[in-house]
Amino acid sequence: MLRTLRSLLRFQRIVRTLARHDALAPLEEIQIAPGLVWIARRFSRRQAEGRPGQKLARALAEMGPSFIKLGQALSTRADLVGERVAQDLAELQDSLAPFDAELARATIEEELGQPLGALFVSFEDKPISAASIAQVHLATVKAEGQEPESGEGLPVAVKVLRPGIEKAFERDLEFFYWVAEWALRAQPKLQRFKPLDVVQVFETTVRLEMDLRMEGAAASELAENFDGDETYSVPTIDWRRSSRRVLTMSRVSGIPLDDREALLAEGHDLQEVLSKAAGIFFNQVFRDGFFHGDQHPGNMFVDRDGNILAVDFGIMGRLDWRTRRNLADMLIATLQGDYHRLAQVYMEAGYLPQRHALDVFAQALRSVCEPIAGRPLNEISFAKLLAQLLRLTESFELPVQPQLLLLQKNMLMAEGVSRSLDPSLNIWTLAEPLIDAWMRENRGPEARLRETVDDVLHTLRRLPALADNLDRATEELAAGRIGLHPDTLRRISQRQASAFARWALIIAVGALVLAAAAAF
């Protein structure tokens, strides 16, 4: 009861803030608390400039850190808020007024258990950036073997969590869950969008982002994935000066990836820079299944050699092998114009409920893909194509795939940077050699045969365990420790023959596949 009262009062304040920014349209669209929204609209009558998404972004920025993060999360949900609003929310700047440097110093000393002077040769009080979760200060550290009295040091960047951010987030999180529950009760049709799951994913993401050790670990993993690849680098983490609320890393500098004039002034070849960026993105997504989840230009820089530098690893995306395989098969089917196969991949991936007719879904896919067929590649946005394919979820009640939504958001960012540097280029065509090689290695006939062999061998390896489980169950049943209804016993006896036949078929198929593999 107390939670409901707190949430209702909070909701009223939020509605007033939305009304002040003329940003009530999203609530009106999904028909949450229509009475309260109608009253707020009538009393406010404010007409602010900008599109609905821009108005909403301004309102969320005023509400504080958790709502800024929520807006960024919703920017991946074009299926929920609409494509235009999602694009506007993607431009929501994660920046706030900096907190006092004395608080930053106190946090560092408390977390690392040493005076600031023992940790750093120098420390700049004015932060170079201040976001909703943390702010970053420049500092220097003593190099190995450096004399103590030396005034110089190695340049580093120190990220410090905002004081009190954890408590503020907990308070807001309670409210977000309440809104999701209320929305489901008020509008059961919203179940398809899984609002509770959206909040849960948001919670997990922000909790990880508030543990700066996780960001350090993500940077280390990316560095390992690109070990020996000079085209991409990430800061080195100074673990001795890092903890849950403090992260110290080597300092990087370069030209922002979208600063066309500065890149040209330094003599960089824009196509070469974009080719490197495309290859990096492709390798992260398909080769490694681990990608930078916030690749906006503020987090991507170009060094003097034209290589890409990245910062800010609080949001990362992961794609398991099965998802990467399905994405590759979708891409192949789309490029070949095989919409029936594309529909089959959706169903095999579990994205399309089997109650829907495959032919009808294939027709819907054709309606999305055919309009771009034959157009020059520089005119095609593959990110928008993916967004349209994902929006078919509404008509066919497909479950939302959060990992693909984050991928689509980053594809949009990459395309935006590409077109700002050279509108005549399509960043994905630059990665075509990598795509072709990966497809041949992982989705060609030999790869599919290897995959089938692996699946059969996995099944065969499970047979002894299944047999042991069956023996134990039989012993328990014979000892009278398991009671079954007579009808159940009769059905078991009727199915035993077919069960043994299925296992015999699996073993036979396995033998055939192994024989075929041996022939290669």
Side-chain angles (χ1 to χ4, degrees), residues 343-453:
Q344 282 183 321
V345 176
Y346 266 82
M347 184 166 284
E348 291 167 2
Y351 301 162
L352 178 67
Q354 295 197 3
R355 63 179 176 275
H356 291 293
L358 203 64
D359 290 341
V360 175
F361 187 61
Q363 182 180 351
L365 292 171
R366 181 185 292 271
S367 73
V368 171
C369 299
E370 283 282 298
I372 67 170
R375 287 172 57 187
L377 285 175
N378 66 302
E379 297 179 7
I380 298 173
S381 166
F382 286 102
K384 290 182 178 178
L385 173 61
L386 178 58
Q388 290 182 52
L389 292 173
L390 291 173
R391 291 193 71 182
L392 288 177
T393 58
E394 185 171 355
S395 301
F396 290 86
E397 301 173 314
L398 275 66
V400 172
Q401 306 299 320
Q403 72 278 22
L404 297 186
L405 294 169
L406 183 61
L407 174 63
Q408 185 253 333
K409 173 189 174 183
N410 279 274
M411 289 175 70
L412 276 173
M413 289 180 181
E415 287 181 351
V417 170
S418 174
R419 289 193 164 88
S420 70
L421 294 184
D422 190 340
S424 68
L425 290 177
N426 186 310
I427 190 171
W428 311 122
T429 63
L430 299 176
E432 192 170 357
L434 285 173
I435 295 172
D436 288 343
W438 190 90
M439 290 291 188
R440 284 195 302 271
E441 182 179 350
N442 294 279
R443 301 311 297 150
E446 291 185 23
R448 291 178 185 275
L449 180 58
R450 287 197 306 269
E451 190 174 291
T452 302
V453 170

Side-chain angles (χ1 to χ4, degrees), residues 463 470 490-507:
L463 281 177
L470 181 59
R490 186 167 56 253
R491 291 192 186 97
I492 289 174
S493 64
Q494 290 172 349
R495 292 176 181 174
Q496 280 180 338
S498 60
F500 281 116
R502 284 196 298 271
W503 283 116
L505 179 60
I506 289 173
I507 294 170

